[in-house]
Amino acid sequence: MKKTALTLTIIANMTSNYGESLGNISSVQKVFRDGKEYATRSRESLKNAICVQSGLYDDLQTSSVTVAQKLVTKDINAATCKALEGGYMSTKDVTYIRNSSFYLTDAISAEPFINDARFHNNLFLATNYAKANGKNVQNDAKECGLNPYQYEYDKSIKIYSLTIDLEKVGVDENFGAEADNEEKCSRVLSIIDAVENLSLVVKGNLDNAEPIFVVGGLSPRKTHMFENAVRVVGKNLVIEPVKEKLDMGFACGLMRNGQLGNEDDIVRELNPTTVPKFFGELREEVKEYFAN
């Protein structure tokens, strides 16, 4: 079978993003499994970060009808505008819908969530205002804008998957338009670059979310091939299901930094390359795909 998709499953040490806030309390997003809470970073948050860092959003234009949305016209479509590669729905004049060519899962923590609340305030700014305006920050806290707040914090090993439909990249059926293979290849490589070097900004802090383990490659199936295979129990990667799928022509990469407790077993059983080498070889496969 012809390989027409690129699929990756990644283990990374990353923070969660935030959901609803109650007053001055911010809560991380979570899912419930087997009666326990697991912190997550949503697929929407991951996709936005990848689109921004890959440069796909460099030519993004927006319009506002009843809600802000990506600008789409006969001349500005997924073939000519890389910002539309992640899909769009345009309801201006005529409704056009084009699904994304790449898909992500939520990044879900491997361990149950334990609440780590962080407490902060803007005391320095409030004090500065009080001095400039003859106020007392204790007696006139409200007028000075003093605002204590707290938020849950989570940074933990999380697992997520990414799959790209290589046949759909650069194609916009709404307008019968298609980018050339050089442009298609460039878009896929930019996504790979973003995943390999992913950084996230959370509550004003920079978070390195690069992979510590990655598995996958080009695939004949347009699905998250390793989504059900990659599991971390305790601190150990469950090896057998990954090993079974690797025999189908995939590869894996490992950063030996001690975060996975059974690194020696992973090296012995799965024969991983380094993470940079994995992504380097993947780029060459993508270039070869679009060269044919």
Side-chain angles (χ1 to χ4, degrees):
M1 293 178 65
K2 185 179 178 181
K3 296 180 178 180
T4 57
L6 186 158
T7 183
L8 299 173
T9 294
I10 293 149
I11 300 175
N13 188 30
M14 68 168 66
T15 54
S16 301
N17 62 309
Y18 290 82
E20 297 296 326
S21 296
L22 179 62
N24 63 348
I25 303 174
S26 298
S27 300
V28 300
Q29 289 195 349
K30 311 176 190 72
V31 294
F32 294 88
R33 289 180 174 175
D34 302 322
K36 296 179 181 179
E37 288 185 324
Y38 293 84
T40 69
R41 175 164 287 276
S42 70
R43 67 194 71 188
E44 294 83 5
S45 172
L46 277 173
K47 186 174 183 179
N48 185 74
I50 289 171
C51 284
V52 171
Q53 291 177 49
S54 66
L56 288 182
Y57 276 174
D58 286 355
D59 60 358
L60 177 66
Q61 299 181 61
T62 55
S63 63
S64 180
V65 186
T66 55
V67 65
Q69 55 188 234
K70 297 174 181 177
L71 178 64
V72 179
T73 68
K74 182 179 178 180
D75 298 320
I76 303 173
N77 55 65
T80 61
C81 178
K82 60 186 177 181
L84 301 178
E85 193 60 62
Y88 64 76
M89 181 174 73
S90 173
T91 58
K92 187 176 182 179
D93 300 326
V94 178
T95 297
Y96 293 109
I97 298 174
R98 192 261 191 188
N99 291 333
S100 176
S101 63
F102 62 98
Y103 305 88
L104 288 139
T105 66
D106 294 335
I108 302 177
S109 178
E111 299 177 351
F113 177 71
I114 298 176
N115 190 7
D116 179 10
R118 301 202 168 186
F119 300 87
H120 295 269
N121 60 59
N122 61 339
L123 180 60
F124 181 83
L125 295 178
T127 301
N128 186 67
Y129 178 88
K131 288 180 179 178
N133 293 275
K135 303 286 185 181
N136 183 292
V137 76
Q138 290 181 316
N139 298 332
D140 307 308
K142 188 173 182 180
E143 294 179 49
C144 295
L146 184 63
N147 181 34
Y149 61 96
Q150 69 183 74
Y151 60 86
E152 294 178 338
Y153 178 78
D154 168 78
K155 180 161 183 159
S156 57
I157 288 179
K158 293 182 175 65
I159 305 168
Y160 71 96
S161 296
L162 164 75
T163 296
I164 306 175
D165 182 345
L166 298 176
E167 292 183 309
K168 192 170 184 177
V169 173
V171 177
D172 197 322
E173 295 180 350
N174 289 321
F175 301 97
E178 183 172 352
D180 59 38
N181 277 8
E182 183 179 355
E183 173 63 18
K184 293 178 183 179
C185 184
S186 174
R187 293 183 187 185
V188 175
L189 293 178
S190 68
I191 293 171
I192 293 172
D193 291 344
V195 170
E196 182 183 7
N197 303 288
L198 189 61
S199 292
L200 305 166
V201 177
V202 186
K203 293 290 185 184
N205 297 311
L206 187 63
D207 173 30
N208 183 340
E210 65 184 347
I212 60 174
F213 179 80
V214 56
V215 61
L218 296 193
S219 169
R221 293 179 57 195
K222 298 175 183 180
T223 188
H224 303 307
M225 285 291 293
F226 287 86
E227 181 181 12
N228 297 322
V230 176
R231 288 288 180 270
V232 175
V233 177
K235 279 188 139 184
N236 296 336
L237 175 69
V238 181
I239 291 176
E240 194 57 36
V242 178
K243 187 176 181 180
E244 290 175 4
K245 286 184 176 286
L246 279 176
D247 291 339
M248 298 167 65
F250 296 102
C252 62
L254 172 69
M255 178 191 294
R256 297 201 67 165
N257 66 349
Q259 286 187 289
L260 293 174
N262 59 337
E263 287 182 350
D264 290 339
D265 294 334
I266 294 170
V267 171
R268 182 172 58 254
E269 297 291 334
L270 303 182
N271 191 30
T273 64
T274 64
V275 171
K277 186 175 180 181
F278 172 90
F279 280 103
E281 292 174 350
L282 183 61
R283 290 185 186 93
E284 293 306 312
E285 290 185 65
V286 169
K287 291 176 184 177
E288 183 178 348
Y289 173 88
F290 285 109
N292 297 328

